Amino acid sequence: MTSRTEELTAELGDALLQVRPALFDPDGRVGGLIDWALRDIGFRTALFRFVDCLPSLDSADEVSDHLRAYFDRDEVVLPASLRTALRLATGRWTAQVAAVALRSNVRALARQFIAAETPAQLPRALRRLHRHGVSTTIDLLGERTVSEAEAVAHLAEYRALLEHAVAVGGGDISLSVKVSALDSQLDVVDAQRCVARLAERLRPLLEEAAQVDALIYLDMEDHQLKELVLDLFQVLMEIPGAPRLGCVLQAYLRESDADLSRVVAIARRYPGRVSVRLVKGAYWDTEVALARQRGWPVPVFEDKAETDAAFAHLVTRLLGEAAVLKPAIASHNAASVAHALAVAESLALTPEQYEFQLLYGMGEGMQKALVARGNRVRVYVPVGALLPGMAYLVRRLLENTANTSFLRRTFVPDLSEPSPRTAGATARSSGEDGFRNEPPLDFSRVAVRSDFSRAIDQVRSRLGEVVTPVVGDGDRATDRIQPSVNPAHPDQVVAMVHQAGPDEVDAAIARANEVQPAWQATPVQERAAYLRRAAAYLRDHRLTAAAWLIFEAAKGWREADADVCEAIDFLEYYAAEMARLDRPRRYASPPGEDNTGEYLGRGVAVAIAPWNFPLAILTGMSTAALVAGNPVVVKPASNTPRVGRLLVEAFRAAGLPAGVLQFLPGSGGAVGDALVRHSGVHTIAFTGSREVGLGIHAAAAQTPAGQRHVKRVICEMGGKNAIIVDRDADLDEAVAAIRQSAFGYQGQKCSACSRVIAVGAVHEPLVERLAQAIESLAVGDPVNPGNRIGPLIDSAAQAKVERYLAIGQSEGRLRAQGRKPDEGYYVAPALFTDIAPHHRLAQEEIFGPVLAVLHARDIEEAATIALDTDYALTGGLFSRHPGHVAYVRERFRVGNLYINRGITGAIVGRQPFGGFALSGIGSQAGGADYLLQFLLPRTICENTLRRGFVPEMLE
Ligand code: NAD
């Protein structure tokens, strides 16, 4: 068969060369650009990014401004002709003309790949294709769906497309549907309900398709959605009267072989009705990058040759199942297509039993050759407006300019450069010195979801357990017992908590001071080992730990899991960091002088933690103190003592000596204040509100008689964080990121976005989409993973946020508000517009699901507004203007600045976290400077010169 494949490859290759795609014609206006893009990687990056943002630019001035910002840079090499064109395009008099010409060039580029901009233009494109003897499957390009209104609109568009296709008639009608377009709350964490919802939503489309015998493909998107899409496919197959259905396998996924077996099993029940499209896969870079960022196994083959081999293997299997499947081989590669033809021949399949699929605009030569051979060809026809079509266009451009591209190699044979893919594949994800971030759970896996669910049930059966303080050697019950409750069901008791008081404070501090010398003398490696063992315990108990977070702090599944991961990260990271700081330090030492440095623990520390990261922050502060040689007394937040107790459990399992970590649940006013004022305390690590933080700072400054040291306060406080959205921002990305940053965990993160500053004309479209997104948010008990927003932590928080809702209505306009259940401490998420920089809604930390939108004239004014608060914690920018990105990087001085992404979710070791101004006075947590705050530097200088004799000089 190999020789037959080779013969067919040669045959197809010859046919291909007769039709050179416009893209690779260096004399054409589009081909000229691509030709240069193939030669220069700087230009290619600039070109793709510019093309991506061009549709969002309204005026000629903006176009020329962006042109200059992207192309007039040292790292971008331009041929003389393009340099002249650039000068013309950015000239004062010529910009207008150039902008029009540019748009028309990019349109021409887009039209290479996008068949129609509207459903109404579709019939013409379809007829043209039918005339060439091919059938089609229609794909809808669209914005990312962030609201239910958009989901409904997308479904209507699919139905309109089907109607137009039916009107054209002639040939086999088919639609390719992307399920992510049809549900704004789609999340694999809630896969089962999402599948049921999608099946219901698709029903009218499927009924219409069945009536006209159309074939509906469920397109494959990213790997995270794959299982969900296959589950949906299975559910749809089981609906009586369903139309012909198709699913897609991506050969670059390692799991596709197993998935094919699953699809075959389904198809056996419905012989002849299941179409399977086999593609190589178009999201390689994203899959690799995201897996590496999350620390997950890379789901795709990292070597192109492996993908090709998998493709060939899957082709053989697919065609072998032609009795029950309709295989569709989607490739533009002559060798892959030839292999399929050879296999089909060897199996004596008729051309009716399988088909080839080609992307619109990418395979005219192949199309002709296959049709001439009598094979069936279906063209994948994208329909969509230029703006949302850009992401698709850039993907096609990337594909065509990659050096692995078959078409490129066919038509531009003389170019070579190192493969960026292989280079990227070997890059390390994160961490130095062996530290690796704890990977979050992959909720796309059904086993992970069911284990998680079981852990929730387990913890549910343990609700009401007793939590006691730990003083000295063991648990110490008190006579003050208070319940800790579930914010979603305030009558559900999570734990009965024995409250510590002044006696426990005194006893704990005394004991901590007793054990201090021995703990300080414990070698760093041993101290670090306790942390690592505690990390291992949490890792083993991560599901139940997360479940406690759901019940006591009302975190959603992902947020609860992230909290546990961060706690593990802090343990591992600080263990590694302390080992680094413990290395002998020798300072400059001229002959006769020996200068060395070392670090000592500062003395007994207390950690006073907030409830919003009840495990992570508590763990981070206390174990930084511990590993640095300081016994620590831990005070969890009053709302979350049960979660805090997990830390005690972890260190007990680690075998930590008694007295080194003590635990005092209780109120801030009683326990917290007494700890802060105690003369036996050396360091106070606090994270919480500004009011309490400043009070602690002042109280700790007192040095009562008998206290022979000055206390150090590490104080992390609130924020009033802003995201600037520039005129040219990618709204798909911005809206999704703002939704998560402002409303994730109900806006109760210190890093949460509470102000959006919209620049110029982006204001209206941004507000419109945000408003719809907020109204669509699912609000309810976080035990149910489908809920994006849960209750606030307690009734006081609820009342406070409600007061701000009233203030917002008097200061600005309530533009949108979501829903909320009646029981529990819920506040419906809200969006306010017409807020001015001096308004309370723009100045005060609200700590709830309330977002204020401000309007700025230009990027300079936006930066000024962004900085006009007492705080400097996090901030963000969405912009595609390189100059504006550089400007905001420079000006927007906050502890954590995020560009073109959300502003929450800092990761230990990657984004050290913490602010300044009234947001805090510490070095950033999870960063290289953090431990120094718990250490005393000590320098020793020894004079080695005695009676004229310098030992070092003997060498
Ligand atoms: P909070 O200030 O009310 O409480 C924090 C801790 O301080 C709790 O353990 C509390 O019991 C204790 N406390 C209260 N009064 C005290 C007193 N007089 N003396 C000593 N201790 C006292 O804060 P919170 O409501 O738990 O947390 C929310 C706040 O924390 C928000 O302002 C948020 O921005 C901030 N926060 C900041 C960061 C950061 O890294 N900058 C991180 C998380 C939370």
Side-chain angles (χ1 to χ4, degrees):
M1 193 150 75
T2 318
S3 63
R4 181 64 185 135
T5 304
E6 279 163 9
E7 259 171 55
L8 286 163
T9 308
E11 209 176 285
L12 287 172
D14 288 346
L16 277 184
L17 285 170
Q18 285 157 24
V19 190
R20 185 190 190 108
L23 207 58
F24 297 113
D25 173 10
D27 300 330
R29 57 181 179 164
V30 167
L33 274 182
I34 296 298
D35 188 46
W36 194 256
L38 290 173
R39 287 165 207 282
D40 184 73
I41 193 146
F43 176 72
R44 195 188 314 170
T45 310
L47 177 69
F48 292 172
R49 293 198 166 164
F50 176 75
V51 163
D52 170 53
C53 80
L54 181 65
S56 69
L57 309 178
D58 298 330
S59 66
D61 281 350
E62 277 188 73
V63 173
S64 71
D65 190 23
H66 278 74
L67 267 177
R68 221 175 300 128
Y70 275 106
F71 296 99
D72 204 359
R73 297 196 307 187
D74 291 347
E75 61 269 32
V76 178
V77 182
L78 291 180
S81 59
L82 283 181
R83 192 151 288 291
T84 312
L86 179 67
R87 217 170 306 123
L88 284 174
T90 55
R92 251 172 84 203
W93 309 111
T94 42
Q96 196 74 38
V97 180
V100 173
L102 239 168
R103 270 181 206 285
S104 104
N105 270 318
V106 172
R107 259 174 204 284
L109 191 58
R111 269 197 292 268
Q112 308 262 325
F113 304 105
I114 299 173
E117 282 201 41
T118 62
Q121 291 173 2
L122 178 67
R124 231 181 100 211
L126 290 186
R127 284 196 192 98
R128 209 177 42 239
L129 287 161
H130 291 167
R131 271 200 301 278
H132 287 109
V134 299
S135 55
T136 56
T137 182
I138 305 160
D139 161 48
L140 178 66
L141 301 174
E143 303 174 316
R144 173 147 158 199
T145 301
V146 293
S147 70
E148 285 310 276
E150 289 168 359
V152 169
H154 285 145
L155 185 65
E157 281 176 272
Y158 277 121
R159 293 173 70 181
L161 287 175
L162 183 61
E163 227 171 86
H164 279 100
V166 172
V168 171
D172 186 355
I173 298 167
S174 168
L175 279 191
S176 285
V177 175
K178 287 194 179 60
V179 297
S180 67
L182 300 178
D183 189 342
S184 72
Q185 305 300 295
L186 188 66
D187 188 341
V188 291
V189 76
D190 192 30
Q192 217 179 342
R193 261 175 291 241
C194 287
V195 165
R197 205 161 54 220
L198 281 166
E200 193 47 44
R201 277 191 189 175
L202 279 165
R203 192 178 286 270
L205 182 69
L206 298 182
E207 281 168 4
E208 283 159 20
Q211 277 165 23
V212 294
D213 192 29
L215 163 64
I216 304 287
Y217 270 105
L218 296 186
D219 264 356
M220 225 14 122
E221 302 177 57
D222 53 51
H223 175 249
Q224 273 289 289
L225 276 181
K226 188 201 71 179
E227 283 302 311
L228 185 147
V229 173
L230 288 177
D231 290 349
L232 176 65
F233 175 72
Q234 180 159 0
V235 166
L236 297 184
M237 281 303 299
E238 283 157 14
I239 297 177
R244 287 185 292 141
L245 289 171
C247 66
V248 182
L249 295 178
Q250 297 161 316
Y252 67 7
L253 288 183
R254 295 173 189 275
E255 293 160 1
S256 283
D257 199 33
D259 291 337
L260 176 55
S261 304
R262 176 177 173 189
V263 173
V264 168
I266 299 172
R268 291 226 157 95
R269 278 181 258 149
Y270 312 92
R273 271 189 51 205
V274 174
S275 293
V276 179
R277 176 194 305 147
L278 177 67
V279 300
K280 284 196 181 157
Y283 307 88
W284 192 93
D285 302 61
T286 316
E287 296 293 3
V288 174
L290 290 183
R292 291 201 183 282
Q293 284 175 19
R294 292 166 184 160
W296 291 344
V298 175
V300 292
F301 294 113
E302 295 189 51
D303 187 352
K304 174 84 170 61
E306 281 182 283
T307 301
D308 288 343
F311 190 87
H313 166 73
L314 290 167
V315 163
T316 308
R317 279 196 65 195
L318 263 179
L319 293 173
E321 299 287 354
V324 289
L325 296 178
K326 280 273 175 63
I329 311 302
S331 170
H332 304 100
N333 184 320
S336 301
V337 171
H339 169 71
L341 288 171
V343 174
E345 268 179 26
S346 73
L347 294 169
L349 298 185
T350 63
E352 290 72 38
Q353 285 180 284
Y354 65 103
E355 67 183 27
F356 291 93
Q357 292 193 3
L358 299 165
L359 290 174
Y360 179 85
M362 277 186 59
E364 277 91 352
M366 182 71 77
Q367 178 188 313
K368 275 194 176 159
L370 287 169
V371 170
R373 290 180 48 87
N375 285 103
R376 302 232 155 160
V377 176
R378 189 187 296 278
V379 175
Y380 186 89
V381 183
V383 177
L386 204 50
L387 179 67
M390 279 301 139
Y392 178 81
L393 173 60
V394 168
R395 206 159 66 235
R396 292 286 85 84
L397 286 177
L398 253 171
E399 198 170 324
N400 279 297
T401 53
N403 70 338
T404 47
S405 154
F406 166 77
L407 284 178
R408 171 184 156 164
R409 275 188 280 138
T410 308
F411 295 104
V412 196
D414 56 327
L415 288 166
S416 66
E417 66 181 53
S419 161
R421 302 208 151 182
T422 332
T426 52
R428 278 171 33 159
S429 59
S430 67
E432 286 168 13
D433 297 335
F435 168 74
R436 286 281 178 280
N437 293 106
E438 188 64 22
L441 292 175
D442 179 357
F443 285 110
S444 73
R445 302 184 168 283
V446 64
V448 171
R449 294 195 299 272
S450 42
D451 288 351
F452 202 89
S453 229
R454 248 194 316 279
I456 290 180
D457 290 341
Q458 251 175 39
V459 165
R460 188 183 280 115
S461 71
R462 290 174 57 188
L463 293 180
E465 279 181 1
V466 167
V467 169
T468 51
V470 176
V471 178
D473 297 335
D475 297 336
R476 182 191 284 210
T478 68
D479 52 10
R480 299 168 299 275
I481 301 173
Q482 272 185 18
S484 148
V485 302
N486 177 353
H489 304 285
D491 50 4
Q492 186 174 56
V493 172
V494 174
M496 295 304 290
V497 187
H498 290 240
Q499 306 286 303
D503 291 349
E504 286 74 27
V505 169
D506 284 341
I509 301 289
R511 184 60 194 271
N513 276 289
E514 269 165 44
V515 300
Q516 203 275 334
W519 180 244
Q520 158 92 60
T522 305
V524 164
Q525 285 312 331
E526 240 174 84
R527 299 198 305 244
Y530 289 116
L531 268 66
R532 294 205 172 97
R533 287 203 290 275
Y537 175 89
L538 283 182
R539 203 173 281 125
D540 289 347
H541 295 78
R542 65 185 285 177
L543 301 186
T544 40
W548 282 113
L549 273 142
I550 293 174
F551 282 108
E552 195 174 48
K555 291 213 166 190
W557 288 27
R558 285 183 193 283
E559 304 279 359
D561 175 54
D563 207 314
V564 181
C565 286
E566 192 177 357
I568 296 172
D569 279 353
F570 276 132
L571 287 161
E572 296 280 1
Y573 181 77
Y574 290 145
E577 276 296 293
M578 194 59 220
R580 178 178 68 83
L581 291 172
D582 191 44
R583 284 184 209 131
R585 310 168 78 76
R586 191 142 190 275
Y587 297 117
S589 301
E593 202 176 280
D594 180 32
N595 297 315
T596 55
E598 63 179 19
Y599 288 116
L600 303 177
R602 285 184 51 83
V604 169
V606 301
I608 301 179
W611 48 263
N612 69 336
F613 286 90
L615 188 59
I617 292 183
L618 184 84
T619 302
M621 293 193 300
S622 1
T623 59
L626 272 189
V627 79
N630 313 291
V632 65
V633 178
V634 176
K635 192 202 99 56
S638 330
N639 296 94
T640 51
R642 180 61 190 87
V643 171
R645 176 84 191 189
L646 292 167
L647 187 63
V648 173
E649 290 163 13
F651 273 103
R652 281 206 173 148
L656 189 74
V660 177
L661 183 144
Q662 300 175 87
F663 179 70
L664 300 185
S667 78
V671 178
D673 192 56
L675 286 171
V676 167
R677 292 176 193 277
H678 205 291
S679 60
V681 169
H682 293 246
T683 308
I684 299 155
F686 166 83
T687 304
S689 63
R690 160 177 164 179
E691 190 193 346
V692 174
L694 295 180
I696 288 178
H697 193 243
Q702 312 297 316
T703 39
Q707 178 182 310
R708 291 176 143 182
H709 56 271
V710 180
K711 289 173 189 164
R712 165 172 279 184
V713 181
I714 299 155
C715 193
E716 303 299 338
M717 301 178 288
K720 187 68 196 174
N721 313 305
I723 295 181
I724 298 173
V725 182
D726 203 358
R727 260 196 295 264
D728 66 352
D730 181 333
L731 285 191
D732 277 2
E733 302 267 333
V735 172
I738 292 169
R739 175 176 68 173
Q740 174 57 24
S741 303
F743 301 105
Y745 193 36
Q746 295 77 272
Q748 301 176 115
K749 297 182 191 176
C750 48
S751 52
C753 168
S754 66
R755 297 180 292 154
V756 162
I757 304 167
V759 179
V762 86
H763 183 267
E764 249 329 285
L766 173 67
V767 165
E768 183 60 32
R769 289 191 74 190
L770 275 175
Q772 291 183 355
I774 288 166
E775 285 161 356
S776 308
L777 284 169
V779 183
D781 190 344
V783 155
N784 168 354
N787 287 324
R788 292 268 180 128
I789 299 207
L792 298 187
I793 189 71
D794 57 23
S795 59
Q798 183 186 31
K800 176 182 161 193
V801 176
E802 274 166 358
R803 279 198 300 281
Y804 276 102
L805 292 180
I807 295 168
Q809 297 200 48
S810 67
E811 289 181 334
R813 181 172 157 224
L814 178 63
R815 177 68 184 255
Q817 190 160 28
R819 290 151 294 172
K820 71 179 181 89
D822 297 332
E823 192 212 348
Y825 305 130
Y826 293 91
V827 172
L831 178 73
F832 286 93
T833 55
D834 304 300
I835 297 296
H838 67 275
H839 282 155
R840 291 182 65 187
L841 237 64
Q843 291 292 334
E844 298 172 14
E845 186 182 50
I846 301 172
F847 228 56
V850 179
L851 181 61
V853 182
L854 293 89
H855 198 169
R857 232 179 7 258
D858 49 31
I859 196 77
E860 288 81 8
E861 192 184 35
T864 305
I865 296 174
L867 286 168
D868 180 19
T869 74
D870 294 344
Y871 298 100
L873 190 49
T874 67
L877 166 71
F878 277 87
S879 175
R880 287 183 283 192
H881 188 299
H884 292 184
V885 171
Y887 174 79
V888 170
R889 271 181 102 106
E890 221 289 294
R891 282 237 26 223
F892 197 177
R893 301 217 170 147
V894 286
N896 290 73
L897 179 64
Y898 296 93
I899 293 163
N900 288 325
R901 53 154 281 174
I903 64 171
T904 57
I907 292 179
V908 171
R910 269 155 64 180
Q911 295 104 20
F913 184 80
F916 33 88
L918 286 174
S919 289
I921 47 169
S923 291
Q924 297 190 307
D929 304 326
Y930 192 73
L931 288 185
L932 295 176
Q933 304 172 110
F934 296 87
L935 291 166
L936 295 170
R938 185 162 175 260
T939 305
I940 299 159
C941 169
E942 183 177 351
N943 175 12
T944 53
L945 181 68
R946 262 187 238 169
R947 303 253 173 250
F949 164 57
V950 182
E952 306 95 276
M953 290 180 79
L954 287 178
E955 286 166 11

